[in-house]
Amino acid sequence: MAPEERGVFHCKNGESMNEFEEYIKERFGIVLPDWVVVEEHNGKFRIMNREVSEERVKNFVSKGIVCGKRTTFGIKPSTDFIQVFGHLASKNIAMITREEMLEYAKGKDLEREFELENGYVVLKFERHVVGVGLCINKKIRNQVAKVRRI
Amino acid sequence: MFEQLQSFCNAEKCFHSLAEQKNYFRVNTIKNTVEEFFSFSSIPHEKTPIPFAFSSTYHLGSTWENFLGYIHIQSLSSMIPPIALSPRKSDVVFDACASPGSKTTQMAAGMENDGAIVANDRKSRHPALLANISRLGVLNTVVVSQDAKKPIKERYFTKALVDAPCTALGAWQNAWKRFTQDMAKSLSRVQKAMLISAFDSLKPGGTLVYSTCTYTKEENEEVVAYLLEKRENAKLVGIDIPYDIPHENGLSEYGNEFRRVWRVYPWHLKSEGFFIAKMVKV
């Protein structure tokens, strides 16, 4: 039986926003009209195109990519998601230097202080969206998964 | 070690030229065009016959461009099967043996993240596949884990790619040391079942590309000949690629039509050896 049929996926089919979509709109100003976001029962959200969301294949393992998950700090957008859609962000953006980007990609926290409110922020170097950071008391903590670090 | 292949290919040359392979990468056009990419990237590179692929002596895995999913490290010849299949935005594609996802993600880029790809492989091979799909921002893929020897859906897909498990003589020199004829025969049985199953999953008018990274007849021409024999509506067609890629034609002992298949040897591109055949379901 496919995960959908077990009730694992709660597809909104883009007709109404789920919590993830509401969060990224509120936090970053990102709106995703052309993509489908679904929530899995394990607290993870996935994003995919409409064709994939409607694809009826038995026993599928995953559709699209993980775009976020529920954490003790609220919903956390994934690095992979932000690297694709972060360019649409209009707020809570931290501009970093090339050196900071390289350190961040290695899994290091950022040393300097940023005038940003607490919560997740989009990190950008010039036009490049580097990923997501967690800002706590003006310091940005690294959120790059160990397997993704360089 | 070379005797079994010597009759139809220069086995010693195949083996020794594997050591001269270059490192290649592909620009992930989901995130940047090639022109945009080189407007900011300083990765030293050389052009190849494929416009979005480049060779480099750089340690690409630790670059920020790789971290951001702007590039994917992939052998040049392994980029040919997706180009031969050439999926478009409206296609629903079956990728029978998808992991680690180099060809899957290349097809997704060609489809501009539109349409759908059903990417199949054994569960133990999913971590690499899922990691590449995520890093490269691929949003048009469903990952499944099913026995590729049985059709996942009959008469459903518009295109299918079977990059079959093989003896890998075109990929690394160690494969030559463990190679036996029995291994090739055993894999040939699996490959035939996979190819038939992928063909049956195609809609009429659908296109199928079969590829391996090895040279044995049993795993290549014989597998394709088996499909043509078992399915009357299978037709072998030419590989019409818009790039000038050096190759040799398939072995004509299976019929003149086998001149339509490609054998890419390591010295052609300083990359892996590959066998590529393209068929349509009429």
Side-chain angles (χ1 to χ4, degrees), chain B residues 93-114:
Chain B
V93 182
F94 178 52
D95 189 354
C97 313
S99 191
S102 296
K103 297 177 191 73
T104 314
T105 54
Q106 183 187 337
M107 290 193 290
M111 295 163 78
E112 297 175 42
N113 247 342
D114 221 323

Side-chain angles (χ1 to χ4, degrees), chain A residues 45-103:
Chain A
F45 295 90
R46 304 191 75 94
I47 188 165
M48 64 204 72
N49 73 15
R50 192 162 301 282
E51 289 89 335
V52 162
S53 76
E54 291 166 359
E55 197 59 53
R56 295 284 169 260
V57 183
K58 283 183 183 172
N59 300 319
F60 70 85
V61 174
S62 70
K63 289 183 171 186
I65 65 171
V66 173
C67 57
K69 64 179 180 185
R70 295 179 190 278
T71 71
T72 48
F73 294 100
I75 291 174
K76 174 194 178 299
S78 72
T79 296
D80 298 318
F81 167 78
I82 288 296
Q83 286 184 349
V84 177
F85 292 101
H87 68 282
L88 299 173
S90 54
K91 52 187 174 178
N92 288 308
I93 300 165
M95 296 303 297
I96 61 175
T97 65
R98 182 188 179 87
E99 290 66 35
E100 285 172 329
M101 172 182 70
L102 294 174
E103 289 301 297

Side-chain angles (χ1 to χ4, degrees), chain B residues 227-269:
Chain B
L227 173 71
L228 300 179
E229 182 197 326
K230 295 289 178 190
R231 297 289 184 267
E232 285 182 352
N233 55 345
K235 188 182 172 202
L236 192 57
V237 295
I239 294 167
D240 45 351
I241 285 179
Y243 317 127
D244 187 17
I245 295 174
H247 63 276
E248 288 179 24
N249 295 329
L251 306 175
S252 53
E253 66 186 75
Y254 286 87
N256 274 340
E257 60 188 335
F258 276 82
R259 296 188 62 76
R260 293 178 180 147
V261 310
W262 282 21
R263 281 179 164 262
V264 179
Y265 290 109
W267 57 87
H268 283 133
L269 294 167

Side-chain angles (χ1 to χ4, degrees), chain B residues 170-229:
Chain B
W172 57 80
Q173 289 185 326
N174 277 347
W176 289 74
K177 291 165 189 164
R178 64 173 194 197
F179 173 78
T180 65
Q181 202 64 41
D182 284 346
M183 195 189 287
K185 282 179 183 163
S186 165
L187 280 163
S188 179
R189 284 192 289 275
V190 174
Q191 291 153 349
K192 285 170 184 168
M194 283 182 172
L195 192 59
I196 289 278
S197 145
F199 183 81
D200 290 345
S201 75
L202 281 178
K203 278 182 178 174
T207 307
L208 171 65
V209 165
Y210 174 74
S211 62
T212 71
C213 59
T214 201
Y215 310 118
T216 68
K217 295 188 272 191
E218 292 85 352
E219 296 175 87
N220 294 322
E221 283 87 352
E222 188 181 305
V223 175
V224 175
Y226 179 81
L227 173 71
L228 300 179
E229 182 197 326

